[in-house]
Amino acid sequence: MAMESAPPGELIASPSGDFTLRASTAHLHKVVLSTDILNPSNTVLADMLGFDSTLVVTTPSIARLYRNRIEHYLQATVQRQSQILVIDCKEETKNIEHVLKICQAATQAGLRRRSQIVAIGGGVCTDVAALAAALFQRGIQMIKVPTTLIGLIDAGVGTKNAINFCSRKSLLGTFSPPKASIVDLTFLHSLPIRYISCGLAESLKMAIVARPDLFGILEATGPKLLRTRFRDPLEAATAVIRISVESLLTELAMDLFERSSYERKLDFGHTFSPYVEEASGYAIAHGEAVAIDIALSSHLANQLGFLSDETMCRILDLLASLGLPLYSRKIDVSGIWRSLQAVIAHRNGKLNLVVPSAIGSCTFVRELADLRPSMLQRAVEDITSRPLGRGVN
Ligand SMILES: NC(=O)c1ccc[n+]([C@@H]2O[C@H](COP(=O)([O-])OP(=O)(O)OC[C@H]3O[C@@H](n4cnc5c(N)ncnc54)[C@H](O)[C@@H]3O)[C@@H](O)[C@H]2O)c1
Ligand SMILES: [Zn+2]
């Protein structure tokens, strides 16, 4: 965890003899947007590595594509052979075993409290490594180098981490701002198209609730960015990433630990999606589940009178043109409805479903009583009868 110049705490002794310790911590999380960061002439990553040892955590696909370049970079810049740990971790196995494997490797590599873990990979990799960094010796420094679009604009620049537990998505995790995130869109050049679509779902989430300018860019260039893996048009590619990162950090800055409010714009697309992922046995990827959630939430917004027909259609059309599913036969309305109980428990007794009211603004459906299963049924029937895109899988 990045803690620099933490202000001193305060001890308050009450007349009754109890003590209250108020300790504040300064969190400094640097997010650097750079390109070609594994080129030794780019010292952004090297400059962040302290003199202490480093454990690089990555996954098999990144190791296959980039291991030589990572090793060469570290030797050429910090002149040090760092340990590289490859964990074969996917959503289905995003569990405590992998966290413990990283902690074991950190022990064997002799990591100390001022050492760091550098995670180079998708959201699964950065989440698992960040949880290990938060636990190891009660928290060591973490640098996230995201390599997927979801990573670049969300998981890799966010402050929380989680693993799945007891068949529940993201049940164990911590809020642990990393020391730094390094955002380099050139990693997207090797990313399978399916995962570019997934990242576009997260970007679209932010566009719909907060950034009409981003929505416009996605409408105009999203399908081309998808086809070219963010190579062309480069100006739009850079803008999508910059605006998405900025809007995520703006929301996080207001409530870093999700304590002051259970009404969070960033929860758009994340009410039904945990159920969608779990019910499909994680065959539906996170971004695809977010897309399905966006489609359902937008349709419900329309039924409740918050969102016009025209704007709902723009959202559904854009999802489809970005190669995203709008629904899946792997889920059903009764399952979706039942899953809302867990959401309500997580959101302190309120449903707080985020629904769009226009492009760039949203509102909240606070109580479950404001919805009915028949509304969900109607949304599903209408969405699945649409001819566009991948539609239903
Ligand atoms: N902590 C957060 O705030 C946060 C936010 C959003 C999502 N998440 C989590 O992130 C996860 C989804 O992340 P994801 O979409 O990055 O999926 P992922 O990590 O599973 O990566 C997708 C696939 O792409 C491969 N890959 C990654 N980068 C590549 C590259 N540059 N070239 C080729 N292949 C590459 C991976 O090995 C994997 O097979 C979910 O578990 C979700 O819960 C966390
Ligand atoms: Zn998400």
Side-chain angles (χ1 to χ4, degrees), residues 1-2 48-55 80 106-107 109-118 133 136-137 139-143 179:
M1 194 184 295
M48 279 175 192
L49 301 177
F51 293 104
D52 231 313
S53 38
T54 297
L55 175 67
R80 193 166 354 108
T107 310
L111 262 58
R112 295 177 295 186
R113 291 209 63 196
R114 295 197 66 80
S115 306
Q116 60 236 322
I117 290 179
V118 178
F136 189 74
Q137 300 210 12
I140 60 170
Q141 294 198 334
M142 170 79 202
I143 297 174
K179 174 183 177 182

Side-chain angles (χ1 to χ4, degrees), residues 215-234:
F215 193 91
I217 298 171
L218 291 173
E219 260 187 336
T221 64
K224 188 163 187 194
L225 291 175
L226 177 65
R227 280 198 308 282
T228 63
R229 294 188 171 95
F230 273 63
R231 282 190 180 87
D232 187 36
L234 187 58

